[in-house]
Amino acid sequence: MSDTTFAPVPMRWLGPVRLSGNVMTGEQEVPLATYETTLWPSVRRGAHVSTMVDGGIQATLIDERMARSVIFEADDAPAALAAARRIEADLPALQAVVSETSRFARLIDVNHQIVGNLLFLRFEFATGDAAGHNMVTLASDKLMAHVLHADGALQYSSISGNYCTDKKASAVNGILGRGKNVVTEIVIPEEIVRRRLRTSADKMAHLNVRKNLIGGAVAGSLRSANAHYANMLLGFYLATGQDAANIVEGSQGFTHAESRDGDLYFSCTIPNLIVGSVGNGKGLDVVTENLHRLGCAEDREPGDNARRLAVLCAATVLCGELSLMAAQTNPGELMAAHVQFERNAR
Amino acid sequence: MSDTTFAPVPMRWLGPVRLSGNVMTGEQEVPLATYETTLWPSVRRGAHVSTMVDGGIQATLIDERMARSVIFEADDAPAALAAARRIEADLPALQAVVSETSRFARLIDVNHQIVGNLLFLRFEFATGDAAGHNMVTLASDKLMAHVLHADGALQYSSISGNYCTDKKASAVNGILGRGKNVVTEIVIPEEIVRRRLRTSADKMAHLNVRKNLIGGAVAGSLRSANAHYANMLLGFYLATGQDAANIVEGSQGFTHAESRDGDLYFSCTIPNLIVGSVGNGKGLDVVTENLHRLGCAEDREPGDNARRLAVLCAATVLCGELSLMAAQTNPGELMAAHVQFERNAR
Amino acid sequence: MSDTTFAPVPMRWLGPVRLSGNVMTGEQEVPLATYETTLWPSVRRGAHVSTMVDGGIQATLIDERMARSVIFEADDAPAALAAARRIEADLPALQAVVSETSRFARLIDVNHQIVGNLLFLRFEFATGDAAGHNMVTLASDKLMAHVLHADGALQYSSISGNYCTDKKASAVNGILGRGKNVVTEIVIPEEIVRRRLRTSADKMAHLNVRKNLIGGAVAGSLRSANAHYANMLLGFYLATGQDAANIVEGSQGFTHAESRDGDLYFSCTIPNLIVGSVGNGKGLDVVTENLHRLGCAEDREPGDNARRLAVLCAATVLCGELSLMAAQTNPGELMAAHVQFERNAR
Amino acid sequence: MSDTTFAPVPMRWLGPVRLSGNVMTGEQEVPLATYETTLWPSVRRGAHVSTMVDGGIQATLIDERMARSVIFEADDAPAALAAARRIEADLPALQAVVSETSRFARLIDVNHQIVGNLLFLRFEFATGDAAGHNMVTLASDKLMAHVLHADGALQYSSISGNYCTDKKASAVNGILGRGKNVVTEIVIPEEIVRRRLRTSADKMAHLNVRKNLIGGAVAGSLRSANAHYANMLLGFYLATGQDAANIVEGSQGFTHAESRDGDLYFSCTIPNLIVGSVGNGKGLDVVTENLHRLGCAEDREPGDNARRLAVLCAATVLCGELSLMAAQTNPGELMAAHVQFERNAR
């Protein structure tokens, strides 16, 4: 039948994680909900390392926007091009249309691609504290209606054109932007690298080149050079009521590691973090509570709660990435850790 | 602290879905756990359509295997190539190593890639009813030890080489295989297409070409031509205790639609369904109960429960894909449906 | 030794091709230089079809620009982001730097990507009648010097950052633009399709979906859905003194075919045509003569000769694509045509 | 009209290049035909460095095969799967069909992909000294006829299915193999790196990570991490009568650089070198002469001339890649070298 029940995904609070940056500074525990509970001790180790370093993890919000694409059909390419130019010249009118659909939605930019007689428009929006899926669908619906009304040369083809693109492996989101683009970085003194991570900066840099960069390239990866961002993203998304299917594009990011005179520079660049502090899923008691505990349900400027959520999520990704990669520099440690943890878990 | 609590993801049973195929035939309700609860009525519509067609959705299991890659370092490429040849000639010995690690793990094949002096090996395994992440990690650990012991020309580089590849957007999994490769198909009579889906076969075929195939290509997608497989995969994975981060590669599949004299041929090809009926997450009461209700906890030949789970998941994907695409052929229906459902949900 | 000799690549003039569009209208023979001389009759057939249709091939120039990327290193991501913002706010100053390097180079836009502490800048230029490789390298060299001088937070990392990207398979060029983006279209009456191409609009549309779109996706293609653009591009580039290694990105484009009540709508979208009517290679007698004969060495507004060259090249691509695809709809025709031509060639 | 003339592409012999490896050992000058004549001094510098190192460039042939894909249509996926299994079980009969089409063509393997009711078969062949385009098209034509005759469940869909894939940017060729897969490596003593390349091993390793690996990933590259393989491939292909449009897939390869105690380990992995010493284009006087001069027109075992050609081509790629990357480690050197060369060229 159709009664709602619940899938109870195991969740723990880990940390604290120490952060600094243009969005927040301080320490904060973070929740991870996952059936793969071996993830917890791994992320916890990374979190602990972050507290041993001044400033901890530096998180930088590079950009934020939400995108939706639509398809129009014209008679031919010249008609499609002329329409694209009219539409892009009409940006203020489009922005007015959008502003009527939501207090928070704001049209930032429009991109187009023309294939034969098809016109793909990609609308980019600011969406306040919401991840924005529904907000941009509604806005795009109204934008399409506006354009179809104003422009006799175009016909409806699709409200969603896959040039957005939502929850699919593509290059467009990283290049044009979709979601929050966050870079996290940490510089870990040599001794902490050795004692807490049982590795060295050189080993980490080597592994990153061989596994994430070269291995990724060999596998035919697309804008992906990391070990397992998707794991931490999933756990954080589920714990905070996100549309977790967005880990697909979230997984596409870049780990970079270098030795700085023996200290380890380690960074995670995550261009497509799609999170919100309001919207679907946020009304559930546990989610509400988690957002409060994360300090992401405060009375702030619109967007600030979501930004805080994004950098906490990104920092959590770094903790897990750091810890797994350190383990993989050591033959045998990976399985030993697994076995040990599962034994303890009994 | 470290006490385990739970993220309660809203779940409903939908259906029944009608299936036939080389793995199972019959009707079965399916669970979807998601914060995006508008997914439920959409999938339900598709499920209902499946019951109106003889045989319903035809699901075909094309292939199944689980992969793990490792990296060795040699002095140079000739040494790497010679080692690769020795290792691949030594398959029976490798299979013996694997058989000692698990009753269910069986080494099927080994692929290699050489980049400079680096040797990437990709081991492919049968893993019974388990998705197999841990099984293949353990097996690969032992295989690496065996190879390092047997072959003085190689050094350890990494237990995970990203040529697997796990939870990242790449081409290798679709081309060499990873997880269960399932094709689902349905042929829907014209009248049902018109009355239940409010569209036509031609409109569906056109939308598929423009949005999924061309739109996907324009976005720089990789082996992805679909509307939203990730949504249904996430919901099904969470409801059945799967490692849901595998929706990353799961999302990479192909929708194909054609008119057959006005009837709609509609198919979803999902090459990387990574599911198991045993393993992490399966011991939770709700999950256990769900697997029972799905008929995936029976006393069968090893692997049969997991295969049943895979085709049920794939059929669920088809139901949601069919329904959303039908909606997108109609201007305005998408948002109207959203608004209506959310109003009802209050 | 180092004496210059010449590789004589067989060349023929084919056509005429009939064109109309925002750049040129009229008929023009086109040259193709290739060792694969079976290409000639194939392209000729397409050219002949173009002359049987009013207006012939409609060519639309969608966009044009040339790009070059550089890498700077900052201390960390905040420093990289701050520098990116300063640089992008400083666009007029950058444009002044560029204008001193060439009469024709004009800086249009700057994009950035930040990975960890690395700042990738992608400069986009108008380059007049030149393809612009050297022009943008020189300009970028000066821009780097300007930025390094003005901004103490950045250090030189590389004059070429592969985010351009030149002569490599990537998504960025199609999404942000590089070279001339040209769409060519033709609508061929049913009878001509049947008699001259021995096929039907439906067969062509079907083949395009199955081979170019689905087959391309299955192969893990990147922004590529066509049969053989590279062949015609190579032949045209060699005949006109272009840097033919740019067929790598040139090959990434989209064929679209539909039946319009039995008539065939056929289009080729080629987003990355990198051609010039001046620059390296243009001083050779044969090349000079060819450019004259193509009407691309006239005394026109800067850029007009190159634009004419681009649409002629794009139209040539369509001729070859149309012809080969028509042949592939017919079992056996392909090889028969090969055999026949090679027999005649003796 | 249709008289054959010639595009005279400027050509020079450079070197000698010193090689060792499983295919050839010795010194050999190599020809490069290109309109971008600044390529010559750059490649020459790399060639000269190769002669200063014992053994020079070590070239290893990893694999060789030529592929062609076709599409069949079945009623549904079960029929497609059953047919695929019958076909793959029938390999000896298929091999017999192929052996009748050419003395040199030999069917090595068959791969399949199923999308809905479509069956993509990818045939892999050994093709002796030919690149093999025509050989495998003829063989595939006969294979299709054989299959259609033997298997009533399948219908013709296309003689070319883009799962080959020829001259398009994709992942399949690198993963399954197409053309000759060659790794070239050199270890250059620190002093030669400093004096001849004016750089250091550390600088080269850093640049490779930042530009080729990270920059490539950021650009959304597909199995491409190099600076400019396409340039050298084009020049070598044109000088030796190759189908130079295959530089598209040829460009997809991996540069790897490391410091070994100050010495530079530098390697180029080129998985898709598609070259032949016989076939179209080889009958031209200049080409014949060039193949003789390269020692690739000897009376040897079938395939040996083509293999020698492949490793010479791959070594030439390394020379150019090494030289350009060294230049790019030095701010300003790139443009200075250009200017200097062009001045000398007057």
Side-chain angles (χ1 to χ4, degrees), chain C residues 5-73:
Chain C
T5 56
F6 296 91
V9 185
M11 182 170 69
R12 280 198 189 170
W13 285 80
L14 311 169
V17 178
R18 184 177 297 168
L19 280 95
S20 60
N22 61 353
V23 172
M24 74 161 281
T25 291
E27 294 201 350
Q28 174 64 54
E29 290 205 357
V30 292
L32 271 190
T34 177
Y35 293 121
E36 304 299 310
T37 52
T38 55
L39 197 61
W40 292 332
S42 180
V43 173
R44 181 178 292 122
R45 177 166 73 154
H48 186 57
V49 167
S50 79
T51 62
M52 303 173 76
V53 173
D54 279 350
I57 296 165
Q58 182 165 245
T60 309
L61 180 70
I62 305 290
D63 187 56
E64 57 180 329
R65 64 192 63 223
M66 188 61 182
R68 183 71 144 141
S69 75
V70 301
I71 317 177
F72 293 102
E73 183 176 2

Side-chain angles (χ1 to χ4, degrees), chain B residues 197-220:
Chain B
L197 297 171
R198 290 191 290 281
T199 188
S200 71
D202 275 336
K203 282 188 183 175
M204 291 289 278
H206 263 68
L207 179 67
N208 188 54
V209 168
R210 291 167 182 201
K211 169 193 167 72
N212 290 342
L213 287 165
I214 298 179
V218 166

Side-chain angles (χ1 to χ4, degrees), chain B residues 139-294:
Chain B
S140 297
D141 201 44
K142 298 299 180 192
L143 286 169
M144 281 200 96
H146 170 84
V147 167
L148 288 167
H149 185 76
D151 207 318
L154 298 177
Q155 290 181 286
Y156 175 86
S157 184
S158 176
I159 181 64
S160 172
N162 275 23
Y163 187 55
C164 317
T165 191
D166 195 45
K167 303 166 183 167
K168 287 172 290 280
S170 83
V172 70
N173 290 340
I175 292 173
L176 293 183
R178 191 165 189 263
K180 300 200 174 1
N181 182 341
V182 181
V183 176
T184 54
E185 305 168 282
I186 191 168
V187 181
I188 310 174
E190 184 173 19
E191 197 195 331
I192 298 176
V193 174
R194 189 174 66 246
R195 286 181 39 207
R196 295 290 164 173
L197 297 171
R198 290 191 290 281
T199 188
S200 71
D202 275 336
K203 282 188 183 175
M204 291 289 278
H206 263 68
L207 179 67
N208 188 54
V209 168
R210 291 167 182 201
K211 169 193 167 72
N212 290 342
L213 287 165
I214 298 179
V218 166
S221 295
L222 189 59
R223 282 185 59 91
S224 291
N226 65 78
H228 70 141
Y229 289 5
N231 281 329
M232 284 72 74
L233 290 174
L234 177 71
F236 194 94
Y237 282 11
L238 291 178
T240 58
Q242 308 304 315
D243 187 348
N246 284 118
I247 65 168
V248 175
E249 56 266 62
S251 76
Q252 296 180 277
F254 313 105
T255 295
H256 185 37
E258 285 187 339
S259 170
R260 293 189 174 176
D261 299 324
D263 296 345
L264 171 63
Y265 171 82
F266 190 86
S267 72
C268 296
T269 298
I270 314 175
N272 303 115
L273 262 173
I274 299 181
V275 297
S277 61
V278 300
N280 286 352
K282 309 308 178 299
L284 292 162
D285 287 350
V286 173
V287 170
T288 302
E289 196 183 305
N290 289 354
L291 290 172
H292 268 102
R293 189 163 160 189
L294 284 165

Side-chain angles (χ1 to χ4, degrees), chain B residues 11-341:
Chain B
M11 182 170 68
R12 280 199 189 170
W13 285 80
L14 311 169
V17 178
R18 185 178 295 168
L19 281 95
S20 60
N22 61 353
V23 172
M24 73 162 282
T25 290
E27 295 201 348
Q28 174 65 54
E29 291 204 356
V30 292
L32 272 190
T34 178
Y35 293 121
E36 303 300 310
T37 53
T38 55
L39 196 61
W40 291 333
S42 181
V43 173
R44 181 178 293 123
R45 178 167 74 154
H48 186 56
V49 167
S50 79
T51 63
M52 303 174 76
V53 173
D54 279 349
I57 296 164
Q58 182 165 244
T60 308
L61 179 72
I62 305 290
D63 188 56
E64 57 179 330
R65 62 191 64 222
M66 187 63 184
R68 182 72 145 140
S69 75
V70 301
I71 317 176
F72 293 101
E73 184 176 2
D75 280 352
D76 52 20
L81 177 60
R85 288 184 175 155
R86 282 193 300 271
I87 290 165
E88 290 173 0
D90 193 36
L91 194 62
L94 299 182
Q95 289 173 322
V97 168
V98 171
S99 68
E100 281 169 32
T101 65
S102 156
R103 265 195 305 155
F104 299 108
R106 189 168 49 81
L107 184 65
I108 301 172
D109 208 352
V110 181
N111 283 279
H112 72 267
Q113 290 263 340
I114 293 171
V115 176
N117 65 323
L118 302 174
L119 172 60
F120 292 79
L121 291 184
R122 188 179 193 268
F123 301 118
E124 299 178 0
F125 304 89
T127 59
D129 279 309
H133 297 86
N134 292 337
M135 205 182 281
V136 305
T137 299
L138 176 60
S140 297
D141 201 44
K142 298 299 180 192
L143 286 169
M144 281 200 96
H146 170 84
V147 167
L148 288 167
H149 185 76
D151 207 318
L154 298 177
Q155 290 181 286
Y156 175 86
S157 184
S158 176
I159 181 64
S160 172
N162 275 23
Y163 187 55
C164 317
T165 191
D166 195 45
K167 303 166 183 167
K168 287 172 290 280
S170 83
V172 70
N173 290 340
I175 292 173
L176 293 183
R178 191 165 189 263
K180 300 200 174 1
N181 182 341
V182 181
V183 176
T184 54
E185 305 168 282
I186 191 168
V187 181
I188 310 174
E190 184 173 19
E191 197 195 331
I192 298 176
V193 174
R194 189 174 66 246
R195 286 181 39 207
R196 295 290 164 173
L197 297 171
R198 290 191 290 281
T199 188
S200 71
D202 275 336
K203 282 188 183 175
M204 291 289 278
H206 263 68
L207 179 67
N208 188 54
V209 168
R210 291 167 182 201
K211 169 193 167 72
N212 290 342
L213 287 165
I214 298 179
V218 166
S221 295
L222 189 59
R223 282 185 59 91
S224 291
N226 65 78
H228 70 141
Y229 289 5
N231 281 329
M232 284 72 74
L233 290 174
L234 177 71
F236 194 94
Y237 282 11
L238 291 178
T240 58
Q242 308 304 315
D243 187 348
N246 284 118
I247 65 168
V248 175
E249 56 266 62
S251 76
Q252 296 180 277
F254 313 105
T255 295
H256 185 37
E258 285 187 339
S259 170
R260 293 189 174 176
D261 299 324
D263 296 345
L264 171 63
Y265 171 82
F266 190 86
S267 72
C268 296
T269 298
I270 314 175
N272 303 115
L273 262 173
I274 299 181
V275 297
S277 61
V278 300
N280 286 352
K282 309 308 178 299
L284 292 162
D285 287 350
V286 173
V287 170
T288 302
E289 196 183 305
N290 289 354
L291 290 172
H292 268 102
R293 189 163 160 189
L294 284 165
C296 296
E298 307 294 304
D299 188 15
R300 294 199 182 97
E301 285 298 299
D304 277 357
N305 281 321
R307 283 186 276 272
R308 179 181 172 94
L309 196 61
V311 297
L312 285 168
C313 180
T316 306
V317 170
L318 183 143
C319 292
E321 183 80 356
L322 176 69
S323 188
L324 179 67
M325 287 190 61
Q328 294 188 347
T329 60
N330 295 312
E333 182 185 322
L334 191 68
M335 280 315 300
H338 262 263
V339 169
Q340 182 64 31
F341 178 78

